[in-house]
Amino acid sequence: MKVKKAIIPAAGLGSRMLPATKALPKPMLPVLDKPTIQYVVEEVVESGIEEIFIITGHNSQAIKDHFDNNSIFDQMLKEAGKEAELQELYDLCSRASFTYIPQEEPKGLGHAVLCARDYIGDEPVAVLTSDDVIYGSEPCIGQMARVYEEKGHTVLGAQRVDWSNVHKYGIVDSDDPTGSTVLVKELTEKPTREEARSNLAVLGRYIIDPEIFAILERTPPGRGGEIQITDALNLLAQEQPVWAYTFEGRRYDFGDPFGMLEGLIEFALRREDLADDLMKFMAEKVKAG
Ligand code: G1P
């Protein structure tokens, strides 16, 4: 079955980026001249998915304004002759529909996904966390949609991480330690290094079968007192196949200051108008020690 819908949870507290995220929603933090969430929406649209459901929180108005082409401010920018600067964004918006679904309280990623239940129905849905931005030659969720069509069941986007970082992620246990698409035996949310059965981490990309919604309804709060998508997926994996696919591309954690810095450098180096100056600046810094 083709994947046509995507959920982007955007209601988190953004506590790792305080105070920047006190008034500004975390997905609106800029990476160069684009907000983080725009990179994620580009990944969705470039993968051929046209229905986007953004889960909003207490301060999400800026997200709605960003993807709204017809606000009073848009009119002002057009009258001021600034349409060219916005053309890329307008083109992006014209390629998808945007629906905003409120999550009244930040009760976890699983709860955020559950908020979209009535909009998804009986079909698979892509879920993309808005602070994981993936740079690669082929959009990550598009790679995963191909695997989904081939396997016909839930696919998690994963990569190996340093063992010292397993406590930050949902970790996959599988009987196949080397394959690029492995059957999930068990999932654990943010295990300690000692608890972790592997260092294969789920990096904020999911294509999930609709059976997940009934499971989420009965998933109790887990790690951090939140309803975790990892716990619900773990239950799903006991009922039907769940695959972990090692995607091509590099993931940047834009919810964390150092991850954002790495991402900034990556994206700046890809820009013709910035790359040379950045290289010169970095060479000077290295020389100066
Ligand atoms: C969430 C998920 C976790 C996943 C991570 C990827 O955690 O709960 O399983 O590995 O995203 O970024 P968060 O970073 O929102 O705490």
Side-chain angles (χ1 to χ4, degrees):
M1 200 182 206
K2 213 169 150 25
V3 184
K4 293 182 289 191
K5 297 178 177 175
I7 301 172
I8 304 179
L13 291 178
S15 32
R16 285 181 296 156
M17 291 300 260
L18 281 168
T21 46
K22 185 162 178 276
L24 192 68
K26 183 172 60 168
M28 287 304 292
L29 292 177
V31 175
L32 303 174
D33 44 19
K34 272 187 214 172
T36 310
I37 194 168
Q38 189 172 331
Y39 291 90
V40 177
V41 168
E42 283 172 0
E43 180 185 333
V44 170
V45 169
E46 281 160 18
S47 301
I49 298 173
E50 293 171 358
E51 289 176 65
I52 299 178
F53 300 86
I54 298 180
I55 312 300
T56 57
H58 72 287
N59 64 356
S60 297
Q61 189 56 41
I63 300 176
K64 295 183 193 169
D65 291 345
H66 186 72
F67 295 110
D68 172 6
N69 295 347
N70 293 306
S71 67
I72 295 172
F73 187 53
D74 278 89
Q75 293 311 323
M76 279 165 60
L77 288 168
K78 283 175 194 164
E79 279 160 27
K82 300 289 176 202
E83 217 168 333
E85 283 82 344
L86 290 168
Q87 202 52 54
E88 189 188 326
L89 176 61
Y90 289 156
D91 290 346
L92 180 68
C93 294
S94 71
R95 291 168 67 194
S97 68
F98 293 80
T99 304
Y100 299 94
I101 304 169
Q103 183 185 17
E104 303 301 344
E105 277 176 78
K107 289 196 210 156
L109 187 54
H111 180 260
V113 171
L114 184 57
C115 290
R117 180 179 194 165
D118 293 347
Y119 297 83
I120 306 304
D122 198 21
E123 56 182 298
V125 65
V127 177
L128 300 91
T129 51
S130 51
D131 45 12
D132 292 299
V133 173
I134 295 163
Y135 183 83
S137 49
E138 191 189 350
C140 176
I141 209 74
Q143 297 173 40
M144 290 170 59
R146 267 196 285 110
V147 178
Y148 181 85
E149 278 173 38
E150 188 192 311
K151 299 285 186 193
H153 281 291
T154 299
V155 180
L156 315 178
Q159 278 186 350
R160 302 232 166 241
V161 295
D162 200 280
W163 277 95
S164 61
N165 285 326
V166 288
H167 65 283
K168 296 181 181 169
Y169 302 104
I171 295 292
V172 175
D173 182 19
S174 149
D175 283 334
D176 178 353
T178 54
S180 66
T181 307
V182 301
L183 197 57
V184 173
K185 203 161 103 186
E186 199 176 6
L187 287 163
T188 318
E189 179 68 3
K190 303 196 173 87
T192 61
R193 190 178 172 140
E194 293 67 38
E195 286 164 347
R197 302 268 176 84
S198 85
N199 62 346
L200 185 59
V202 180
L203 296 181
R205 293 294 181 273
Y206 311 80
I207 293 180
I208 313 180
D209 281 320
E211 288 80 6
I212 197 71
F213 291 111
I215 295 178
L216 278 167
E217 293 275 13
R218 57 182 160 86
T219 303
R223 173 91 42 192
E226 296 186 338
I227 298 173
Q228 298 291 351
I229 193 72
T230 306
D231 295 343
L233 286 165
N234 189 36
L235 294 172
L236 185 68
Q238 316 312 316
E239 291 175 9
Q240 60 184 55
V242 169
W243 298 93
Y245 163 71
T246 302
F247 59 83
E248 302 287 339
R250 174 148 185 182
R251 167 258 188 188
Y252 293 95
D253 180 4
F254 282 10
D256 168 85
F258 189 70
M260 177 167 280
L261 181 60
E262 289 178 308
L264 271 168
I265 293 172
E266 169 80 69
F267 284 97
L269 288 173
R270 308 277 157 195
R271 289 249 308 239
E272 270 179 28
D273 58 334
L274 299 174
D276 287 349
D277 286 344
L278 175 60
M279 290 297 283
K280 247 187 259 164
F281 173 75
M282 289 197 303
E284 272 168 30
K285 286 281 159 202
V286 170
K287 209 165 146 198

